[in-house]
PDB file of all heavy atoms in Angstrom:
ATOM      1  N   VAL B 159     -30.438  12.263 -15.884  1.00  0.00           N
ATOM      2  CA  VAL B 159     -28.984  12.344 -15.722  1.00  0.00           C
ATOM      3  C   VAL B 159     -28.288  11.055 -16.128  1.00  0.00           C
ATOM      4  O   VAL B 159     -27.227  11.080 -16.776  1.00  0.00           O
ATOM      5  CB  VAL B 159     -28.638  12.697 -14.237  1.00  0.00           C
ATOM      6  CG1 VAL B 159     -27.136  12.505 -13.942  1.00  0.00           C
ATOM      7  CG2 VAL B 159     -29.033  14.095 -13.889  1.00  0.00           C
ATOM      8  N   VAL B 160     -28.941   9.943 -15.816  1.00  0.00           N
ATOM      9  CA  VAL B 160     -28.317   8.627 -16.196  1.00  0.00           C
ATOM     10  C   VAL B 160     -28.287   8.512 -17.732  1.00  0.00           C
ATOM     11  O   VAL B 160     -27.324   7.997 -18.272  1.00  0.00           O
ATOM     12  CB  VAL B 160     -29.084   7.459 -15.548  1.00  0.00           C
ATOM     13  CG1 VAL B 160     -28.490   6.124 -16.003  1.00  0.00           C
ATOM     14  CG2 VAL B 160     -28.965   7.545 -14.038  1.00  0.00           C
ATOM     15  N   LYS B 161     -29.312   9.035 -18.378  1.00  0.00           N
ATOM     16  CA  LYS B 161     -29.273   9.015 -19.844  1.00  0.00           C
ATOM     17  C   LYS B 161     -28.164   9.929 -20.385  1.00  0.00           C
ATOM     18  O   LYS B 161     -27.467   9.608 -21.377  1.00  0.00           O
ATOM     19  CB  LYS B 161     -30.643   9.499 -20.427  1.00  0.00           C
ATOM     20  CG  LYS B 161     -31.632   8.397 -20.421  1.00  0.00           C
ATOM     21  CD  LYS B 161     -32.832   8.728 -21.368  1.00  0.00           C
ATOM     22  CE  LYS B 161     -33.700   7.485 -21.585  1.00  0.00           C
ATOM     23  NZ  LYS B 161     -34.835   7.776 -22.462  1.00  0.00           N
ATOM     24  N   ARG B 162     -27.911  11.074 -19.743  1.00  0.00           N
ATOM     25  CA  ARG B 162     -26.792  11.922 -20.175  1.00  0.00           C
ATOM     26  C   ARG B 162     -25.463  11.195 -19.973  1.00  0.00           C
ATOM     27  O   ARG B 162     -24.578  11.281 -20.827  1.00  0.00           O
ATOM     28  CB  ARG B 162     -26.806  13.259 -19.354  1.00  0.00           C
ATOM     29  CG  ARG B 162     -28.005  14.157 -19.466  1.00  0.00           C
ATOM     30  CD  ARG B 162     -28.149  14.747 -20.874  1.00  0.00           C
ATOM     31  NE  ARG B 162     -28.808  13.868 -21.811  1.00  0.00           N
ATOM     32  CZ  ARG B 162     -30.069  13.482 -21.795  1.00  0.00           C
ATOM     33  NH1 ARG B 162     -30.863  13.997 -20.863  1.00  0.00           N
ATOM     34  NH2 ARG B 162     -30.550  12.672 -22.695  1.00  0.00           N
ATOM     35  N   ILE B 163     -25.325  10.500 -18.821  1.00  0.00           N
ATOM     36  CA  ILE B 163     -24.123   9.717 -18.544  1.00  0.00           C
ATOM     37  C   ILE B 163     -23.896   8.675 -19.607  1.00  0.00           C
ATOM     38  O   ILE B 163     -22.777   8.500 -20.105  1.00  0.00           O
ATOM     39  CB  ILE B 163     -24.146   9.149 -17.118  1.00  0.00           C
ATOM     40  CG1 ILE B 163     -24.132  10.266 -16.087  1.00  0.00           C
ATOM     41  CG2 ILE B 163     -23.012   8.164 -16.900  1.00  0.00           C
ATOM     42  CD1 ILE B 163     -24.405   9.806 -14.632  1.00  0.00           C
ATOM     43  N   ALA B 164     -24.966   8.003 -19.978  1.00  0.00           N
ATOM     44  CA  ALA B 164     -24.870   6.985 -20.999  1.00  0.00           C
ATOM     45  C   ALA B 164     -24.454   7.603 -22.330  1.00  0.00           C
ATOM     46  O   ALA B 164     -23.549   7.055 -23.013  1.00  0.00           O
ATOM     47  CB  ALA B 164     -26.205   6.232 -21.191  1.00  0.00           C
ATOM     48  N   GLU B 165     -24.978   8.761 -22.714  1.00  0.00           N
ATOM     49  CA  GLU B 165     -24.627   9.405 -23.947  1.00  0.00           C
ATOM     50  C   GLU B 165     -23.178   9.876 -23.953  1.00  0.00           C
ATOM     51  O   GLU B 165     -22.459   9.636 -24.915  1.00  0.00           O
ATOM     52  CB  GLU B 165     -25.541  10.589 -24.165  1.00  0.00           C
ATOM     53  CG  GLU B 165     -26.964  10.238 -24.595  1.00  0.00           C
ATOM     54  CD  GLU B 165     -27.898  11.424 -24.486  1.00  0.00           C
ATOM     55  OE1 GLU B 165     -27.446  12.543 -24.213  1.00  0.00           O
ATOM     56  OE2 GLU B 165     -29.109  11.208 -24.683  1.00  0.00           O
ATOM     57  N   ILE B 166     -22.771  10.496 -22.884  1.00  0.00           N
ATOM     58  CA  ILE B 166     -21.385  11.035 -22.801  1.00  0.00           C
ATOM     59  C   ILE B 166     -20.355   9.918 -22.855  1.00  0.00           C
ATOM     60  O   ILE B 166     -19.294  10.023 -23.484  1.00  0.00           O
ATOM     61  CB  ILE B 166     -21.240  11.937 -21.540  1.00  0.00           C
ATOM     62  CG1 ILE B 166     -22.142  13.168 -21.671  1.00  0.00           C
ATOM     63  CG2 ILE B 166     -19.795  12.346 -21.387  1.00  0.00           C
ATOM     64  CD1 ILE B 166     -22.323  13.891 -20.345  1.00  0.00           C
ATOM     65  N   THR B 167     -20.638   8.817 -22.127  1.00  0.00           N
ATOM     66  CA  THR B 167     -19.648   7.767 -22.024  1.00  0.00           C
ATOM     67  C   THR B 167     -19.731   6.790 -23.192  1.00  0.00           C
ATOM     68  O   THR B 167     -18.858   5.994 -23.412  1.00  0.00           O
ATOM     69  CB  THR B 167     -19.810   6.972 -20.727  1.00  0.00           C
ATOM     70  OG1 THR B 167     -21.163   6.416 -20.724  1.00  0.00           O
ATOM     71  CG2 THR B 167     -19.572   7.796 -19.516  1.00  0.00           C
ATOM     72  N   GLY B 168     -20.830   6.854 -23.970  1.00  0.00           N
ATOM     73  CA  GLY B 168     -21.008   5.965 -25.071  1.00  0.00           C
ATOM     74  C   GLY B 168     -21.497   4.635 -24.690  1.00  0.00           C
ATOM     75  O   GLY B 168     -21.505   3.641 -25.474  1.00  0.00           O
ATOM     76  N   MET B 169     -21.972   4.511 -23.485  1.00  0.00           N
ATOM     77  CA  MET B 169     -22.580   3.221 -23.008  1.00  0.00           C
ATOM     78  C   MET B 169     -24.034   3.094 -23.382  1.00  0.00           C
ATOM     79  O   MET B 169     -24.743   4.116 -23.390  1.00  0.00           O
ATOM     80  CB  MET B 169     -22.489   3.071 -21.523  1.00  0.00           C
ATOM     81  CG  MET B 169     -21.124   2.559 -21.002  1.00  0.00           C
ATOM     82  SD  MET B 169     -21.209   2.060 -19.275  1.00  0.00           S
ATOM     83  CE  MET B 169     -21.797   0.406 -19.457  1.00  0.00           C
ATOM     84  N   ASN B 170     -24.448   1.904 -23.694  1.00  0.00           N
ATOM     85  CA  ASN B 170     -25.874   1.680 -23.945  1.00  0.00           C
ATOM     86  C   ASN B 170     -26.613   1.936 -22.607  1.00  0.00           C
ATOM     87  O   ASN B 170     -26.249   1.390 -21.542  1.00  0.00           O
ATOM     88  CB  ASN B 170     -26.057   0.227 -24.417  1.00  0.00           C
ATOM     89  CG  ASN B 170     -27.513  -0.061 -24.653  1.00  0.00           C
ATOM     90  OD1 ASN B 170     -28.273  -0.218 -23.708  1.00  0.00           O
ATOM     91  ND2 ASN B 170     -27.869  -0.156 -25.917  1.00  0.00           N
TER      92      ASN B 170
END
Side-chain angles (χ1 to χ4, degrees):
Chain B
V159 169
V160 176
K161 279 197 168 181
R162 298 293 82 72
I163 292 171
E165 286 167 5
I166 294 166
T167 58
M169 275 193 85
N170 179 287

